[in-house]
Amino acid sequence: MSTEALVSLSSSFLFFSFIVFLIAIIPFGVAVKSKKQSGVKIAMGLTIVGFAAQLGYFILRWVAAGHAPVSNLNEFLTFFGIMLIGSFLGFFYIYRQPVVGLFLLPVAILIIAYASMFANEVSPLIPALQSHWLTIHVITVATASAVLSVSFVTGLIYLLKKVDTSNKSKSAFFLELVLYFLVVVVGFILVTSAFGIAGYSASYQFENQEGQSQVYEYALPAIVVPDEAQAVSGTAENYEPASHYAGLVEIPNNVETAKLNSVLWSFVVGSILYLVIRLIARKKISQLLQPFTNKVDLTLMDEISYRSVVIGFPLFALGGLFFAMIWAQIAWSRFWGWDPKEVWALITFLFYAAFLHLRIGKEWTGEKTAWLAIIGFGTIIFNQVFVNLVISGLHSYA
């Protein structure tokens, strides 16, 4: 079978899993509201089928590419989504809590859909990535991040059950803010898909910090462009001045404006979508979700949050720091260089170390650790998405 056929088949497996997970949300909801075991069996059967399809995607793409498919943002986030489902399956067969699946599946679906918005071509690895440490480091980090992310889901469930969202309080405000950020992700998927279908593209040429001419390709209309950028058209071999929209705001060239532009569009469209939901429902999103947490055992949710961190933290330390430093020494002849990605990996490590210290040493439980789990997930997403997209560094290829 040709490389193109394998890639196409792997994509079909991934799309199939996406549809299966969307369907599985319904029986999970029925199971949570009614506690019928038939609903749980159907939901878990569908989840297992979807996970098997995801593994099929991963194996086929690995064969097609000749290396582990975790070398760019599309592949990494997709694998992150795969391992999030895998982590849920592991925890479900220990704790038997379908409510976790009801809230985790939409998060995994968002991550996979978000990943699909980025280029998914199979291409040869650049020299810095041509090492078996790519597979070891990235797969371990993605697996650890997925396990840690289970604590985000259970923490969110805990807070939806515990926090009185009808009152104006800090807890109610920040809980709604978390849900708003999830809507922003939906906004990004919608706006990127819409302009992708419309075939929109624009190019801007500018002089980078090294004094070299560089061109950014935009998939969305420019809100921000590099300082003194000029609109151009054509190909890399022959760019010519163009008359298309020149952008709204110019910002320093050390920021990857094409990627920042996508982030800004996400917030614009996500905010509009959030307001539409509020106007139609006449309720906060947290109030819409709370009925699904009425039968939740708070002690059990707190226990799952803690266990996921206990498992995920040493895995992250191993993959995100130890394996990463070995690979950095091989690729760049230094163990540590304060690259933005390295800094945020360290911040994530220190945060979860503090989480465990406060949990074990200070006996923080319940609502306190639920908030910590949500903040921890924020550091993971910031590192894997915002740092990759906006902040230039040695890991920009990711």
Side-chain angles (χ1 to χ4, degrees), residues 39-355:
V40 175
K41 289 179 181 178
I42 293 170
M44 288 305 300
L46 288 170
T47 303
I48 291 170
V49 169
F51 182 63
Q54 285 183 316
L55 293 179
Y57 148 83
F58 187 73
I59 293 168
L60 288 172
R61 192 172 177 91
W62 193 327
V63 172
H67 58 79
V70 289
S71 61
N72 57 46
L73 194 56
N74 170 277
E75 293 177 342
F76 176 87
L77 289 175
T78 300
F79 183 69
F80 179 25
I82 292 172
M83 295 314 298
L84 187 55
I85 297 294
S87 299
F88 160 66
L89 290 174
F91 279 104
F92 178 82
Y93 286 108
I94 297 173
Y95 293 100
R96 304 283 175 173
Q97 293 295 302
V99 68
V100 178
L102 177 63
F103 283 87
L104 184 142
L105 252 63
V107 174
I109 288 169
L110 281 179
I111 290 171
I112 295 168
Y114 183 82
S116 70
M117 298 299 104
F118 299 96
N120 65 347
E121 295 84 2
V122 171
S123 57
L125 293 176
I126 64 173
L129 299 180
Q130 293 174 5
S131 168
H132 62 276
W133 285 105
L134 166 70
T135 304
I136 297 171
H137 160 60
V138 181
I139 285 181
T140 307
V141 169
T143 303
S145 298
V147 175
L148 290 170
S149 297
V150 173
S151 68
F152 162 74
V153 175
T154 51
L156 183 61
I157 295 169
Y158 188 102
L159 293 170
L160 285 169
K161 169 76 172 180
K162 185 72 181 289
V163 174
D164 184 0
T165 57
S166 61
N167 292 331
K168 291 184 178 180
S169 64
K170 289 182 180 180
S171 294
F173 170 79
F174 284 111
L175 179 58
E176 189 69 14
L177 184 63
V178 171
L179 297 172
Y180 160 76
F181 283 129
L182 293 178
V183 175
V184 166
V185 177
V186 177
F188 172 80
I189 295 167
L190 291 177
V191 70
T192 305
S193 299
F195 279 100
I197 292 171
Y200 179 87
S201 65
S203 302
Y204 297 91
Q205 191 170 42
F206 65 100
E207 189 176 286
N208 61 26
Q209 290 181 302
E210 287 73 36
Q212 300 172 334
S213 178
Q214 187 173 347
V215 174
Y216 279 157
E217 304 287 343
Y218 280 58
L220 300 169
I223 298 175
V224 293
V225 294
D227 190 30
E228 298 183 359
Q230 299 294 322
V232 295
S233 61
T235 63
E237 292 77 20
N238 185 28
Y239 281 114
E240 296 179 351
S243 59
H244 61 252
Y245 175 60
L248 187 62
V249 178
E250 293 185 353
I251 62 174
N253 297 345
N254 61 337
V255 176
E256 296 197 24
T257 54
K259 295 175 179 178
L260 176 59
N261 190 66
S262 297
V263 173
L264 294 176
W265 267 104
S266 303
F267 278 95
V268 170
V269 177
S271 297
I272 293 171
L273 180 59
Y274 175 80
L275 291 174
V276 169
I277 295 171
R278 289 290 303 270
L279 288 172
I280 294 174
R282 302 283 182 175
K283 289 181 179 180
K284 298 176 181 178
I285 296 179
S286 54
Q287 292 174 320
L288 294 174
L289 295 176
Q290 276 185 325
F292 293 99
T293 64
N294 287 338
K295 300 175 183 178
V296 165
D297 184 336
L298 291 179
T299 302
L300 201 51
M301 289 301 107
D302 186 53
E303 170 71 10
I304 298 172
S305 290
Y306 171 61
R307 292 300 175 190
S308 68
V309 175
V310 166
I311 296 169
F313 174 71
L315 271 178
F316 188 87
L318 189 65
L321 295 179
F322 183 71
F323 291 159
M325 287 190 289
I326 294 174
W327 185 19
Q329 173 63 27
I330 294 171
W332 301 313
S333 301
R334 88 303 188 266
F335 288 104
W336 190 265
W338 298 103
D339 183 70
K341 191 80 169 177
E342 296 170 340
V343 171
W344 274 95
L346 179 61
I347 289 172
T348 302
F349 168 81
L350 293 175
F351 178 86
Y352 280 105
F355 179 108

